[in-house]
Amino acid sequence: MTTTQTPPVPETAALRPVAPHSSVSLTSGRLPRWAPWGLLGLTAAAVALVFAMLAVAGETEFSFAGWAIVSAIGYLVLITVISSIVEGSRKAVDRLVTGIVSVAFLIAMVPLVSVAYTVVVNGVAAFSAEFFSNSMRNVVGEGGGILHAIVGTLLITLAAAVISIPIGIFTAIYLVEYGDGKRLARGITFLVDVMTGIPSIVAGLFAYALFALFLGPGIRLGIMGAIALSVLMIPVVVRSSEEMLRLVPNELREAAYALGVPKWLTILKVVLPTAIAGITTGVMLSISRVIGETAPLLLTAGVATSMNYNLFEGRMMTLPVFAYTQYMNQGIPAQAYIDRAWGAALVLILIVMALNLVARLVAKVFSPKLGR
C-alpha cells in the first residue's frame, strides 16, 4: 500500500503574515447617482437667479429659452469638470456625451410638445356634438361641423390604401425574392428612391393632369385625391416592406425548399407571416404620412360643404383642406372660423395617433413569438 506525502510548505510561505482585510470601497472614484440631477438643478437655479437679477436691474428681460440654453451649457461644463476630477477623463467624456444626447432629445421634444399643446388648447374649444354631427352646408358664421370632412378623409385615405398596399407589397416581394441582381430590379429601386422625394404638389398635378385628359379641365373627384395620395404612399410601402422581408432569415426559406415547398407558397406561408408585423407597421405609417396632405387634395378633390359618399362623383372635403379653407377664408365672426380650423387640426392629429396605436398593437400581436 503506497501513501502520498504532501510536499513540505516552504518556511517563508508558512511564516508569512496574512495581510489584514483592507477597507477599500468599491464605489470610490465615482459620483453618486443623484449627482447629475443635483448638478442640473443647481445649475438651473443659479442661472435663473442670474437672469432674475439682470431682469430686476433692467438690463435684459427674462427669457425661458435663454435660461434653458445657458443652463444646459453650464450643466455640461460642470458635470464634465467634476467627473474628470473625481472619476477620471474617460468617465468624464462618457458623461459629456450622455449629456449632449439628453439635451438633443429635449430640444427635439420642444417643438413636438409645443405643437401638441397649442393644438389641444385651441382645438378643444370647437368640440361639441354639433361639430361632429353636422356639415357646413348652408352655414355662415357660427355653427356647422366637420362630419363631411371626416367622411371624406376616411374614404379618400381608404381608397389610397387599397391602391397602394397591394402594389407596394408585391413590388417589395419581387425586389427581395425574384429580382436579386437583375437590371429591372435596380431600375425599380432607383425609381422608388426618386418617388420618395417627390413633392406632394407634384403628385396632385399628376393626378389632375391624368383625369383632365379624359374628363376635361376643371374636374374634381374624390378618387383623384386617392390616386394622388397613392403616388405618395407607394414608395413608403415598398421601402418598409422591402426592409422587413430582408430581415426574414434565409434559413426559413431553405428549410421550406428542403421540404419540397414551391417558392410562391414559401413566400405566402413562411416569409410573409414572419414579416407581417413590420409590414403592417410600415403601411400604417405610410397612411399617417399622407392623411394630412393638403396641396394635392386642393387640386384633385377640391372644396365642398356638403356630405359626399361617392368617390367618383363631385367634390369631396377632407380635414386638412377644411382647416386650410376655414383659416384662409374667415368670415364674421372670425373666431368661429379659427376655432373650426383648430378643431379640424386636433381631430386629424387624433386620427393619426389612433393609426399609430393600431400599428403598434398589430406589431405586438403578429410579431413572431420567441418564447418556447
Side-chain angles (χ1 to χ4, degrees), residues 89-153:
S89 60
R90 185 174 181 178
K91 187 63 177 179
V93 173
D94 178 74
R95 290 191 181 275
L96 175 62
V97 174
T98 303
I100 293 175
V101 172
S102 302
V103 170
F105 167 75
L106 293 177
I107 292 175
M109 289 296 295
V110 167
L112 175 62
V113 174
S114 177
V115 169
Y117 175 78
T118 304
V119 175
V120 170
V121 170
N122 293 280
V124 170
F127 279 20
S128 64
E130 180 183 8
F131 186 70
F132 289 100
S133 59
N134 290 348
S135 66
M136 291 298 295
R137 182 179 178 86
N138 299 327
V139 175
V140 177
E142 298 179 346
I146 61 169
L147 181 60
H148 62 307
I150 295 176
V151 171
T153 298

Side-chain angles (χ1 to χ4, degrees), residues 41-53 62 66-72 74:
L42 179 63
T43 306
V47 174
L49 180 61
V50 173
F51 272 50
M53 293 175 61
F62 186 86
W67 166 77
I69 294 174
V70 175
S71 299

Side-chain angles (χ1 to χ4, degrees), residues 309-331:
Y309 299 96
N310 191 350
L311 289 169
F312 299 91
E313 182 179 357
R315 299 169 179 251
M316 185 172 287
M317 180 63 85
T318 56
L319 284 171
V321 176
F322 179 85
Y324 171 78
T325 55
Q326 288 294 308
Y327 186 81
M328 295 301 296
N329 304 318
Q330 299 178 17

Side-chain angles (χ1 to χ4, degrees), residues 17-28:
V18 179
H21 185 269
S22 59
S23 58
V24 179
S25 175
L26 295 177
T27 60
S28 61

Side-chain angles (χ1 to χ4, degrees), residues 24-350:
V24 179
S25 175
L26 295 177
T27 60
S28 61
R30 290 182 60 88
L31 293 175
R33 292 184 178 180
W34 53 265
W37 296 104
L39 292 175
L40 178 61
L42 179 63
T43 306
V47 174
L49 180 61
V50 173
F51 272 50
M53 293 175 61
L54 293 176
V56 171
E59 297 184 9
T60 182
E61 295 183 358
F62 186 86
S63 173
F64 180 80
W67 166 77
I69 294 174
V70 175
S71 299
I73 296 175
Y75 164 74
L76 293 176
V77 174
L78 189 61
I79 190 66
T80 304
V81 172
I82 295 178
S83 179
S84 63
I85 295 174
V86 177
E87 301 174 315
S89 60
R90 185 174 181 178
K91 187 63 177 179
V93 173
D94 178 74
R95 290 191 181 275
L96 175 62
V97 174
T98 303
I100 293 175
V101 172
S102 302
V103 170
F105 167 75
L106 293 177
I107 292 175
M109 289 296 295
V110 167
L112 175 62
V113 174
S114 177
V115 169
Y117 175 78
T118 304
V119 175
V120 170
V121 170
N122 293 280
V124 170
F127 279 20
S128 64
E130 180 183 8
F131 186 70
F132 289 100
S133 59
N134 290 348
S135 66
M136 291 298 295
R137 182 179 178 86
N138 299 327
V139 175
V140 177
E142 298 179 346
I146 61 169
L147 181 60
H148 62 307
I150 295 176
V151 171
T153 298
L154 296 179
L155 290 178
I156 290 177
T157 306
L158 178 61
V162 170
I163 297 172
S164 305
I165 293 173
I167 296 176
I169 293 178
F170 287 145
T171 303
I173 291 175
Y174 171 78
L175 293 176
V176 175
E177 304 294 338
Y178 296 97
D180 188 17
K182 295 183 179 180
R183 185 176 300 176
L184 178 60
R186 292 196 297 269
I188 293 175
T189 302
F190 174 75
L191 292 177
V192 169
D193 292 338
V194 173
M195 289 179 63
T196 304
I198 290 179
S200 59
I201 188 68
V202 176
L205 288 172
F206 164 75
Y208 177 80
L210 178 64
F211 277 81
L213 289 175
F214 300 99
L215 302 178
I219 187 68
R220 299 287 190 278
L221 297 173
I223 190 64
M224 293 172 59
I227 292 177
L229 295 184
S230 67
V231 173
L232 301 174
M233 281 184 62
I234 287 175
V236 180
V237 176
V238 171
R239 271 303 178 200
S240 60
S241 301
E242 182 182 0
E243 294 300 324
M244 291 300 105
L245 292 175
R246 291 190 188 279
L247 291 178
V248 178
N250 286 327
E251 288 78 4
L252 296 178
R253 299 180 176 89
E254 294 170 356
Y257 298 154
L259 294 175
V261 181
K263 190 169 186 176
W264 69 269
L265 192 58
T266 300
I267 296 172
L268 182 62
K269 295 294 186 179
V270 177
V271 178
L272 287 179
T274 305
I276 190 64
I279 293 175
T280 304
T281 303
V283 168
M284 289 294 182
L285 293 178
S286 67
I287 294 175
S288 302
R289 180 246 186 272
V290 303
I291 197 173
E293 291 292 343
T294 305
L297 296 178
L298 274 172
L299 291 173
T300 55
V303 179
T305 58
S306 302
M307 298 292 300
N308 183 8
Y309 299 96
N310 191 350
L311 289 169
F312 299 91
E313 182 179 357
R315 299 169 179 251
M316 185 172 287
M317 180 63 85
T318 56
L319 284 171
V321 176
F322 179 85
Y324 171 78
T325 55
Q326 288 294 308
Y327 186 81
M328 295 301 296
N329 304 318
Q330 299 178 17
I332 300 176
Q335 189 61 40
Y337 292 81
I338 295 176
D339 289 342
R340 285 195 292 262
W342 282 112
L346 180 56
V347 171
L348 186 61
I349 290 178
L350 293 177

